[in-house]
Amino acid sequence: MSETKIETTVHGMMAEFTTVDSLLSACRRIRDAGYTKTDAYTPFPVHGIDKALGIKPTALPWICLIAGATGTCIALAMQIWMNSIDYKYIISGKPYLSLPAFIPVAFELTILLASFGAFFGMWALNGLPKFSNPMFTDPRFDRATDDRFFLYVDAGDERYDANGVRNLLADTGSDYINEVVEDDSPKEVPKPVFLIWGLSVAASLVPLICILTMRVTNSSKPRFHIFFDMDFSPSKDAQQVTSLFADNRAMRSDVPGTVARGQMEESLDMLTGIDVEALTLSDPPRVQRLVRAYMLADDEAKAEEKEAVDAAEAAPASVMDTTPWVEKNPLNVDAELLAQGQQQFAIYCSVCHGMDGYGNGLVNQRAQSISAPTWVPPASMHQETLYADKYPDGKLFSTISNGIRKMPGYAGQIKLKDRWAIVAYVRALQKSQNASLDLVPESEKAAVEAAVTEAKAELKRQAEEAEKAAAARKQEQP
Amino acid sequence: MSLAIPNGLDNTVERPGERAPLVLGETTYHDITEAVCKVAERPPSKGWIGGFLVAFALLQVLGLLIVYLIYTGVGVWGNRAPIFWGWPIVNFVFWVGIGHAGTLISAILFLFRQEWRTSINRAAEAMTIFAVACAGTFPGIHVGRAWLAFWLAPYPSLNLWMWPQFRSPLLWDVFAVSTYGTVSLLFWYMGMVPDLATFRDRSKNKYRRMAYGLLCLGWSGSSRHWMRYEKAYAILAALAAPLVLSVHTIVSFDFAVSQVPGWHTTIFPPYFVAGAIFSGFAMVLTLMVPARKMLNLEKLITIRHLENMCKIILATGSIVGLAYGTEFFIAWYGQVPAEQFAFLNRAFGPYAWAYWTMVSCNVISPQIFWFKKARTTPWIIVVVSIFVNIGMWFERFVIVISSLSRDYLPSAWAYFTPTWVDWGMLIGSFGLFFTLFLLFCRTLPVINMAEVKATLAKQEHMAHLHGHGEEASEGH
């Protein structure tokens, strides 16, 4: 800073006032004298000063309006694009473009952008931030934000003439009038400020750089897991021990009195294989018991039913015979169902009853070979007593579900519909061993016959081939 | 100047045809500057240091608990099936509600030309921002995987390949609360700029002067600037007024749009907004009554200011009471068994203690403000306002916990028990709030000096008119 200020630019003239009223009357005098490049500096907004100085209204409301409207449009476009076009969500069965639900966010963004418009628009129109201002060079101007009022006439005004303005201002009753000069002394920002600023800028870049480098480099290392057990939660396997539950079992059984999803979607007929309507006439208490056991998941009723059936099985006139069974498979029997039944039969029944149903499955063969003393051979499916006319579908279903005598029940393992599929398949199996050509419709007969002959020829050919192959192997061996 | 107050410094007496003064004593503009700037300029008092240390320690508790929570998982809270919205959401709604008084004072009272707002709006707005900061913390950590909270934002994500679901009130909430926080911050900061310039001009220290100089953006007090500034301020006030109403409305949608009995009611938006204003004013009073004493601001924050706020508390408290009653009426009138059960359960079920705490604090305790003596006695005001704070916390507790603990599936019913982490976080959030507030008192202008000076100018102008008749109006 030089002692002698040679290069000073005069910006204008300012006068200090102590009251609002004196400032206002001075403003009016200046305005009436024809000055236009004027301004007043006050610690609070003085009402009436815009008129006294001839300040024009601002365009700020328009900026706000445009910003707000932009907010509405952006919000609506964003929501419609995101939820109705690009990624369609179905929520409560509403249409993809459900405008009412988009109102809140549209409202918020309207307010947000309009506020930005008002806030940033105001600073921009005011030309702020601007940290150097010739007015600040006068030490008395510090009181412009405290309790003093300043009137300023710019040197750029065409009527400006230093002495004339000074006299005019003195006339208005100001006791401090001074020329406003540009402070040409170099203003240096203190070094520590630079240091702090530089360091914080550098520090703020670190995370950004880290992220960016991670995004562009390829790494063969596995991803870093901050919370390993959240990415790979430790789950228990069946039959494992756990400390989580009082009984130390990881497997949980059904909560008593509850029905799992998908358990109760079917009718009682389908659940039991019994024609419940007929049973209502003959044995109402049992219907009640069945309802409790199957519809209300009442374990007690289930046990009662089992006891009653088991006891009746031993008696000569078995409850199995008096029960009105469902005659016809409730499911629609088609090729798909039969295929499903075949698969399930192979899984669950064939081990005892054999793939062909003659009762000579692997378990039976093994039991026979070790002459197990208590072994009761599984029944053959191909007895007349098990045919549909004597052994209705419902009864077969009940046998599969609840078991019979030595055979255990499979309700726990095989799903409801699969059990009915097995019933359908057993019927097909029975037919397969005991069908005459008469059952085939006239139109198909020729084709079936041809297929049978072809199959026989094929079998013969296979047998011959096998023989030949065996002979060839014999020759090679010595 | 002479204000001619007959009863000394009592400005609570209504005199027909005259406006009661809002700045007391032989006050000049410079006195106002002195009074407000001194608060930040003089060395911190022992009380301030003590208070700050306590608040700061509590803030550390909050911080450490958040680390513990993120490291361990949300199981450290008492949130258990079926009450998955435990204290974090109670605290969130509580703090957001508190914030509302600030905006109400600064925006709505401004639009209604209630000049008594000028002495309290700055501190109330600061309170808003700090309360929103506390409020924002809770949903942020409540999402479970807090480090993925940014998934709430609608950004084109390469990992998710999807957008947020804009039909959910929870997402509206994200927009509402963040807009609210941002606009409140802008409003607060903009209102502070002229006062920051005063701070700058009074600073002797070079760095202090520079810091305030930067903060006030080079404000000079030019009339052209003031004109645009006032316009912008009015626009922001007009924008903030519907905004503040929308925020708690949307917060109430979080509940009302669901089907939980006791939540699924159309009364929620107005009821929540009234409750928010109620709790916010209570918090303003809790802070201001001791603060005006400790910071020697009794001439600026006068008994009349306190009395006005007490009247608002009385009004909103009664609205809230009416809402409680209406809820019961609608439950009976609607004849929905689940709803009826929900409300009987609130009042007479396992949470009856919380319900009746709420009713006595929120509805009964403010009734004392029917008496002028109570409205003008600071200690009564503080006691009642603390009751209201407690009551409003319990209101949110009752709504969130009692409805969730017993909804449609009786086999899932449960009783909520908070853990020590719940307690620690609630107390810690007060630490955050008070740390920010105490820092604010020491570094920023606690009272809007420019506006108070304008009020004083107007007051003088009026006194002038009365003294000299019509001649003084020549100025306009």
Side-chain angles (χ1 to χ4, degrees):
Chain A
M1 262 190 226
S2 56
E3 285 292 296
T4 45
K5 285 189 192 162
I6 325 152
E7 284 290 311
T8 47
T9 335
V10 175
H11 273 270
M13 188 79 73
M14 74 174 177
E16 187 190 283
F17 298 90
T18 50
T19 64
V20 179
D21 291 338
S22 53
L23 173 75
L24 279 175
S25 58
C27 285
R28 272 183 227 113
R29 298 257 325 245
I30 290 282
R31 180 197 63 195
D32 295 344
Y35 292 96
T36 51
K37 292 202 166 173
T38 54
D39 206 349
Y41 296 85
T42 56
F44 55 85
V46 171
H47 285 249
I49 197 139
D50 30 357
K51 230 189 262 165
L53 278 176
I55 301 175
K56 284 192 215 83
T58 161
L60 195 61
W62 294 104
I63 297 181
C64 256
L65 183 70
I66 294 167
T70 316
T72 322
C73 297
I74 289 179
L76 286 178
M78 172 178 82
Q79 295 179 83
I80 292 172
W81 163 253
M82 289 178 184
N83 278 187
S84 314
I85 298 170
D86 191 44
Y87 196 95
K88 291 181 176 168
Y89 284 100
I90 301 176
I91 305 290
S92 331
K94 296 193 187 81
Y96 291 125
L97 208 167
S98 44
L99 218 44
F102 296 159
I103 290 176
V105 170
F107 175 82
E108 299 301 332
L109 278 194
T110 308
I111 297 275
L112 185 68
L113 264 75
S115 304
F116 282 160
F119 183 80
F120 295 109
M122 185 269 287
W123 296 123
L125 289 178
N126 280 350
L128 295 178
K130 174 171 168 254
F131 297 106
S132 112
N133 185 336
M135 303 295 286
F136 293 160
T137 50
D138 192 318
R140 278 182 85 124
F141 192 71
D142 275 356
R143 292 185 76 171
T145 56
D146 179 3
D147 59 349
R148 287 291 186 273
F149 307 83
F150 291 85
L151 180 56
Y152 168 75
V153 183
D154 197 276
D157 197 293
E158 38 190 55
R159 286 166 178 268
Y160 188 84
D161 136 54
N163 284 331
V165 174
R166 188 181 285 273
N167 290 340
L168 187 61
L169 288 175
D171 233 25
T172 59
S174 167
D175 41 14
Y176 176 80
I177 299 168
N178 197 11
E179 248 178 5
V180 177
V181 291
E182 174 88 76
D183 181 9
D184 292 324
S185 58
K187 278 262 179 339
E188 268 172 20
V189 179
K191 292 220 168 59
V193 173
F194 260 121
L195 196 72
I196 294 170
W197 181 79
L199 281 180
S200 44
V201 167
S204 68
L205 286 177
V206 171
L208 197 69
I209 291 171
C210 284
I211 293 172
L212 286 180
T213 46
M214 279 178 190
R215 282 225 84 111
V216 294
T217 47
N218 290 321
S219 166
S220 57
K221 281 194 214 138
R223 194 167 90 78
F224 175 64
H225 296 280
I226 309 176
F227 300 96
F228 193 83
D229 57 351
M230 278 202 123
D231 293 340
F232 305 97
S233 55
S235 57
K236 290 281 173 193
D237 289 332
Q239 317 294 355
Q240 270 190 335
V241 176
T242 177
S243 56
L244 270 177
F245 301 106
D247 61 1
N248 291 344
R249 290 161 53 119
M251 280 161 85
R252 310 309 305 153
S253 50
D254 287 350
V255 178
T258 59
V259 178
R261 262 165 188 272
Q263 238 178 28
M264 260 197 11
E265 282 161 5
E266 308 302 341
S267 67
L268 202 52
D269 286 28
M270 188 151 167
L271 288 168
T272 57
I274 298 173
D275 183 345
V276 178
E277 212 175 292
L279 189 67
T280 326
L281 299 176
S282 61
D283 191 358
R286 187 166 173 215
V287 174
Q288 283 183 0
R289 198 166 64 210
L290 288 176
V291 169
R292 275 200 293 142
Y294 284 92
M295 308 296 278
L296 305 177
D298 180 343
D299 291 337
E300 231 170 76
K302 230 174 225 171
E304 267 171 44
E305 166 76 9
K306 188 166 162 39
E307 216 169 275
V309 171
D310 286 353
E313 269 172 9
S318 162
V319 71
M320 300 298 277
D321 300 330
T322 55
T323 305
W325 296 108
V326 170
E327 291 292 336
K328 214 180 135 276
N329 199 323
L331 297 181
N332 180 28
V333 180
D334 54 10
E336 200 184 325
L337 189 76
L338 288 177
Q340 187 186 345
Q342 182 176 31
Q343 186 210 27
Q344 296 293 319
F345 185 90
I347 295 170
Y348 292 106
C349 317
S350 69
V351 281
C352 289
H353 289 283
M355 282 292 199
D356 52 12
Y358 278 105
N360 197 18
L362 289 173
V363 174
N364 185 50
Q365 290 172 23
R366 169 75 179 153
Q368 300 292 355
S369 74
I370 60 169
S371 320
T374 55
W375 181 246
V376 177
S380 163
M381 299 290 143
H382 308 294
Q383 331 171 24
E384 274 188 23
T385 46
L386 293 183
Y387 284 178
D389 51 341
K390 305 232 172 60
Y391 207 91
D393 281 2
K395 190 171 178 185
L396 182 50
F397 172 83
S398 164
T399 301
I400 299 173
S401 305
N402 308 318
I404 191 154
R405 297 183 298 271
K406 281 287 176 181
M407 177 183 147
Y410 285 91
Q413 278 111 302
I414 314 176
K415 286 191 199 126
L416 180 71
K417 289 199 175 146
D418 286 344
R419 276 178 267 149
W420 281 110
I422 293 177
V423 170
Y425 176 69
V426 169
R427 293 296 176 225
L429 199 60
Q430 289 172 337
K431 282 257 164 65
S432 75
Q433 300 300 307
N434 186 25
S436 67
L437 214 53
D438 303 342
L439 285 173
V440 181
E442 211 55 46
S443 55
E444 305 281 322
K445 248 181 198 165
V448 172
E449 268 168 359
V452 170
T453 350
E454 200 180 300
K456 277 183 182 160
E458 171 71 18
L459 278 178
K460 209 174 155 196
R461 199 179 54 78
Q462 276 178 5
E464 277 168 10
E465 248 171 45
E467 227 164 72
K468 257 187 223 161
R473 238 178 289 141
K474 243 184 202 166
Q475 273 182 355
E476 268 170 36
Q477 232 149 37
Chain B
M1 75 179 187
S2 152
L3 297 174
I5 305 165
N7 308 346
L9 288 187
D10 185 1
N11 61 344
T12 63
V13 183
E14 298 292 347
R15 289 193 297 157
E18 247 178 72
R19 281 193 175 243
L22 292 165
V23 180
L24 295 184
E26 298 281 316
T27 310
T28 63
Y29 299 134
H30 184 66
D31 291 344
I32 295 173
T33 313
E34 281 291 316
V36 177
C37 294
K38 273 278 165 343
V39 173
E41 282 167 2
R42 62 172 166 242
S45 69
K46 282 212 184 78
W48 186 91
I49 295 177
F52 183 78
L53 286 180
V54 172
F56 196 66
L58 292 180
L59 171 62
Q60 304 315 306
V61 170
L62 178 67
L64 289 175
L65 285 180
I66 290 178
V67 173
Y68 174 60
L69 168 93
I70 292 178
Y71 193 75
T72 320
V74 286
V76 301
W77 281 325
N79 304 9
R80 298 280 182 282
I83 308 149
F84 289 114
W85 279 11
W87 279 24
I89 298 301
V90 175
N91 297 342
F92 161 69
V93 182
F94 172 72
W95 280 117
V96 166
I98 296 245
H100 282 51
T103 324
L104 188 97
I105 290 173
S106 49
I108 296 184
L109 296 187
F110 174 83
L111 296 176
F112 284 120
R113 300 276 182 273
Q114 292 296 307
E115 268 151 22
W116 59 273
R117 68 180 266 289
T118 52
S119 309
I120 52 170
N121 71 341
R122 172 69 42 73
E125 282 170 39
M127 185 197 77
T128 293
I129 285 153
F130 306 149
V132 171
C134 293
T137 311
F138 285 101
I141 53 180
H142 191 253
V143 293
R145 289 191 281 170
W147 55 97
L148 294 178
F150 63 90
W151 280 1
L152 290 165
Y155 72 106
S157 161
L158 295 179
N159 297 327
L160 297 172
W161 279 116
M162 59 162 131
W163 299 109
Q165 203 270 91
F166 280 100
R167 291 183 191 86
S168 161
L170 298 180
L171 190 65
W172 304 344
D173 216 10
V174 173
F175 277 82
V177 174
S178 50
T179 300
Y180 183 48
T182 314
V183 173
S184 304
L185 196 66
L186 294 186
F187 200 33
W188 181 56
Y189 175 62
M190 201 182 103
M192 218 152 44
V193 163
D195 290 350
L196 287 171
T198 310
F199 269 40
R200 170 199 63 196
D201 292 342
R202 283 174 61 92
S203 303
K204 307 275 180 302
N205 180 308
K206 187 163 75 171
Y207 292 106
R208 202 179 151 91
R209 193 178 177 101
M210 195 151 69
Y212 284 119
L214 282 176
L215 275 180
C216 75
L217 306 175
W219 180 260
S220 62
S222 151
S223 291
R224 288 163 205 280
H225 291 182
W226 272 120
M227 195 259 305
R228 296 193 193 100
Y229 175 91
E230 283 203 287
K231 195 54 135 209
Y233 197 85
I235 292 174
L236 275 187
L239 291 170
L243 175 66
V244 65
L245 299 184
S246 84
V247 173
H248 229 58
T249 299
I250 290 178
V251 170
S252 82
F253 284 166
D254 292 347
F255 300 88
V257 172
S258 79
Q259 284 158 6
V260 177
W263 288 5
H264 187 64
T265 53
T266 46
I267 197 183
F268 261 28
Y271 157 32
F272 266 50
V273 171
I277 294 165
F278 181 52
S279 66
F281 269 92
M283 189 54 108
V284 174
L285 280 175
T286 316
L287 291 176
M288 296 300 245
V289 176
R292 73 191 269 274
K293 187 119 209 141
M294 285 192 276
L295 307 178
N296 296 326
L297 296 171
E298 280 139 311
K299 280 188 183 173
L300 298 179
I301 304 172
T302 67
I303 292 288
R304 189 180 177 86
H305 290 96
L306 303 185
E307 197 194 353
N308 282 347
M309 287 193 270
C310 290
K311 286 179 184 165
I312 292 189
I313 289 209
L314 177 59
T316 46
S318 306
I319 295 179
V320 167
L322 183 68
Y324 297 159
T326 311
E327 282 189 318
F328 270 88
F329 171 75
I330 294 296
W332 165 76
Y333 188 67
Q335 289 293 311
V336 178
E339 290 285 335
Q340 291 179 336
F341 171 78
F343 286 99
L344 286 180
N345 180 48
R346 265 185 202 174
F348 306 108
Y351 294 103
W353 58 274
Y355 183 83
W356 294 107
T357 310
M358 165 188 103
V359 170
S360 17
C361 288
N362 287 354
V363 187
I364 301 172
S365 80
Q367 301 306 324
I368 196 175
F369 287 149
W370 285 106
F371 303 101
K372 181 160 183 169
K373 181 91 195 122
R375 291 200 301 268
T376 49
T377 312
W379 72 264
I380 298 184
I381 298 178
V382 175
V383 170
V384 173
S385 67
I386 289 176
F387 273 142
V388 172
N389 284 325
I390 296 173
M392 283 310 290
W393 190 86
F394 271 103
E395 181 192 300
R396 280 60 178 254
F397 176 85
V398 166
I399 292 174
V400 173
I401 308 285
S402 81
S403 278
L404 280 182
S405 72
R406 293 190 161 183
D407 67 1
Y408 296 107
L409 202 60
S411 64
W413 285 2
Y415 189 81
F416 180 84
T417 323
T419 63
W420 63 274
V421 180
D422 282 309
W423 281 104
M425 283 197 171
L426 173 61
I427 297 168
S429 67
F430 279 91
L432 171 61
F433 181 76
F434 282 107
T435 303
L436 292 172
F437 196 82
L438 287 170
L439 282 179
F440 159 74
C441 287
R442 289 289 308 157
T443 48
L444 297 171
V446 284
I447 286 186
N448 194 333
M449 290 181 272
E451 276 194 21
V452 175
K453 285 175 196 166
T455 310
L456 182 64
K458 200 163 178 183
Q459 193 172 301
E460 267 177 44
H461 188 67
M462 296 303 244
H464 204 58
L465 279 186
H466 273 275
H468 306 277
E470 288 310 296
E471 64 183 288
S473 69
E474 176 257 342
H476 264 276

